[in-house]
């Protein structure tokens, strides 16, 4: 398969640091709350047609910064069928799992991944939206943005906020040419994969299901945000995925959040733990490397399906 992916990708991870000015109490997983606060603040700042309730029916959606970031329209064709939703060009990565309380004066930090030159170019707007969100209140707490750090793939994070202005930086990820054929994924937030409308647990999930989700996720992002639609026989890759040796040590981690839109609790559990893959060719190894930034599975935009990559078991 000619995967058509460039070796240097417009892909970047940032860390946002806030000094807390009103006590912040976070539930066991803050990703959903952060995304909600960010979305509301971004819409207030960037929506150019406030009378239109839904983005998908708005005539301005192709040129609206809010729509591009939070409710992206379909711009590029992909080789995958049954496409009903384009992934957003961001992933919010909250603090590690667990309940946290931040008192006044403490620093609260989280990460955000941006995909594509347009989203990265909108970092000033995104930063302003985060600043407004914490000024208005997140989970009952408030804070002041005091720093933004760029987190390169192979170097220490460094500040890009100088005198309240963002400084230029090379926001790319280089895909190594010599990735290992045997890897271990360590999922640190729940991975939610579905089959026939049902979430797969540690007993029903399969290596081929994960590999096809991996291919789908990277393909959609590449075609939409990197101007590099993957080319080739996806049916052949699906047949190949079934034959790739793998084994896992996974467990179910339950989680629920309250949806104000649907006025009910949503159960969003998934599997966490370790998953080993062997005999990977360069395509699959590259996809696993790239998806460390993209996350995998449902609800990836607020941090689920996050994993670290190892070349051998821990």
């Amino acid at each position: 398969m000619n995967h058509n992916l460039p070796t240097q990708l417009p892909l970047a991870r940032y860390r946002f640091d806030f000094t807390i000015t009103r006590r912040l109490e976070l539930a066991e997983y803050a990703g959903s709350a952060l995304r909600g606060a960010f979305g509301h603040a971004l819409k207030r700042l960037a929506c150019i047609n406030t009378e239109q309730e839904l983005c998908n029916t708005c005539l301005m959606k192709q040129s609206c910064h809010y729509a591009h970031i939070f409710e992206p329209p379909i711009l590029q064709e992909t080789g995958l069928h049954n496409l009903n939703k384009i992934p957003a060009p961001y992933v919010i990565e909250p603090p590690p799992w667990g309940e946290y309380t931040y008192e006044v004066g403490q620093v609260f930090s989280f990460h955000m991944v941006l995909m594509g030159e347009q989203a990265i170019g909108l970092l000033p707007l995104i930063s302003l939206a985060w600043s407004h969100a914490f000024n208005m209140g997140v989970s009952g707490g408030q804070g002041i943005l005091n720093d933004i750090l760029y987190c390169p793939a192979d170097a220490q994070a460094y500040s890009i906020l100088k005198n309240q202005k963002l400084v230029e930086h090379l926001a790319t990820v280089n895909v190594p040419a010599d990735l290992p054929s045997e890897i271990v994924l360590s999922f640190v937030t729940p991975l939610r994969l579905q089959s026939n409308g049902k979430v797969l647990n540690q007993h029903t999930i399969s290596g081929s299901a994960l590999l096809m989700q991996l291919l789908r996720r990277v393909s959609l992002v590449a075609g939409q945000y990197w101007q590099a639609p993957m080319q080739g026989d996806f049916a052949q890759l699906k047949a190949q995925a079934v034959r790739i040796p793998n084994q896992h040590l996974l467990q179910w981690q339950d989680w629920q959040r309250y949806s104000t839109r649907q006025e009910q609790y949503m159960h969003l559990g998934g599997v966490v733990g370790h998953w080993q893959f062997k005999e990977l060719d360069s395509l699959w190894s590259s996809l696993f490397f790239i998806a460390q930034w993209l996350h995998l599975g449902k609800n990836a935009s607020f941090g689920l399906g996050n994993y670290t990559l190892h070349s051998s078991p821990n």
Side-chain angles (χ1 to χ4, degrees), residues 2-291:
N2 175 21
H3 59 70
N4 197 40
L5 288 173
T7 57
Q8 189 176 71
L9 302 173
L11 182 62
R13 176 178 280 121
Y14 298 94
R15 193 184 87 198
F16 291 81
D17 291 350
F18 284 85
T19 299
I20 298 303
T21 56
R22 188 172 72 189
R23 192 181 194 209
L24 172 63
E25 296 183 1
L26 296 177
E28 60 181 349
Y29 187 68
S32 177
L34 286 171
R35 185 188 63 168
F38 171 69
H40 287 303
L42 182 65
K43 188 160 190 175
R44 279 190 288 267
L45 283 171
C47 178
I48 56 179
N49 186 9
T50 55
E51 295 181 0
Q52 181 68 45
E53 199 167 313
L54 300 175
C55 287
N56 61 357
T57 57
C58 179
L59 296 176
M60 305 299 293
K61 64 182 179 181
Q62 298 290 349
S63 57
C64 176
H65 292 332
Y66 169 79
H68 174 78
I69 296 169
F70 214 75
E71 298 186 33
I74 297 176
L75 301 177
Q76 301 291 336
E77 294 295 328
T78 73
L80 297 174
H81 300 292
N82 301 320
L83 177 63
N84 56 18
K85 189 174 183 181
I86 284 292
Y90 71 89
V91 169
I92 296 169
E93 298 176 329
W97 206 274
E99 296 182 359
Y100 296 91
T101 298
Y102 295 85
E103 302 293 347
V104 173
Q106 290 186 307
V107 175
F108 169 66
S109 301
F110 62 92
H111 292 84
M112 186 177 195
V113 175
L114 298 180
M115 312 165 195
E117 293 179 358
Q118 185 173 353
I120 293 170
L122 291 174
L123 181 60
L125 172 63
I126 290 169
S127 303
L128 184 61
W130 279 119
S131 182
H132 280 217
F134 275 84
N135 182 58
M136 292 181 291
V138 177
S139 293
Q142 291 179 306
I144 297 174
L145 179 64
N146 61 36
D147 206 358
I148 302 172
L149 288 80
Y150 172 56
C151 306
D154 54 0
Q156 188 173 355
Y158 60 88
S159 176
I160 57 170
L161 187 62
K162 306 295 183 184
N163 299 319
Q164 300 304 309
K165 294 183 179 180
L166 292 168
V167 300
E168 292 187 7
H169 55 286
L170 184 61
T172 59
V173 169
N174 294 316
V175 182
D178 56 348
L179 290 165
S181 61
E182 179 177 334
I183 61 169
V184 174
L185 315 177
S186 295
F187 282 94
V188 295
T189 60
L191 168 68
R192 290 176 55 80
L193 299 186
Q194 288 187 341
S195 178
N196 297 321
K198 294 183 178 180
V199 178
L200 301 175
N201 60 30
Q202 66 269 38
H203 306 296
T204 57
I205 203 166
S206 67
S208 60
L210 179 63
L211 288 165
M212 292 312 295
Q213 159 61 200
L214 172 69
L215 178 62
R216 181 180 179 85
R217 175 74 164 155
V218 179
S219 297
L220 290 175
V221 170
Q224 185 75 357
Y225 303 119
W226 300 336
Q227 290 72 53
M230 296 178 65
Q231 302 170 359
D233 189 337
F234 286 87
Q236 183 179 0
L237 283 174
K238 185 175 182 179
Q240 182 188 15
V242 176
R243 300 191 299 269
I244 293 177
N246 68 94
Q247 58 182 357
H248 59 70
L249 184 61
L250 300 170
Q251 62 185 22
W252 183 261
Q253 182 166 322
D254 208 4
W255 176 60
Q256 66 178 13
R257 70 177 180 92
Y258 185 76
S259 172
T260 54
R261 177 180 296 181
Q262 301 187 38
E263 297 183 341
Q264 63 179 341
Y265 281 96
M266 310 290 291
H267 291 273
L268 298 175
V271 295
V272 294
H274 306 291
W275 204 330
Q276 182 182 36
F277 286 83
K278 299 180 179 180
E279 300 178 19
L280 297 171
D281 61 22
S282 59
L283 169 63
W284 292 112
S285 294
S286 296
L287 295 180
F288 273 125
F289 177 83
I290 294 167

Side-chain angles (χ1 to χ4, degrees), residues 292-307:
Q292 292 176 95
W293 285 264
L294 310 186
H295 296 209
L296 294 175
K298 292 183 67 64
N299 308 118
S301 63
F302 55 80
L304 296 191
N306 184 16
Y307 66 86

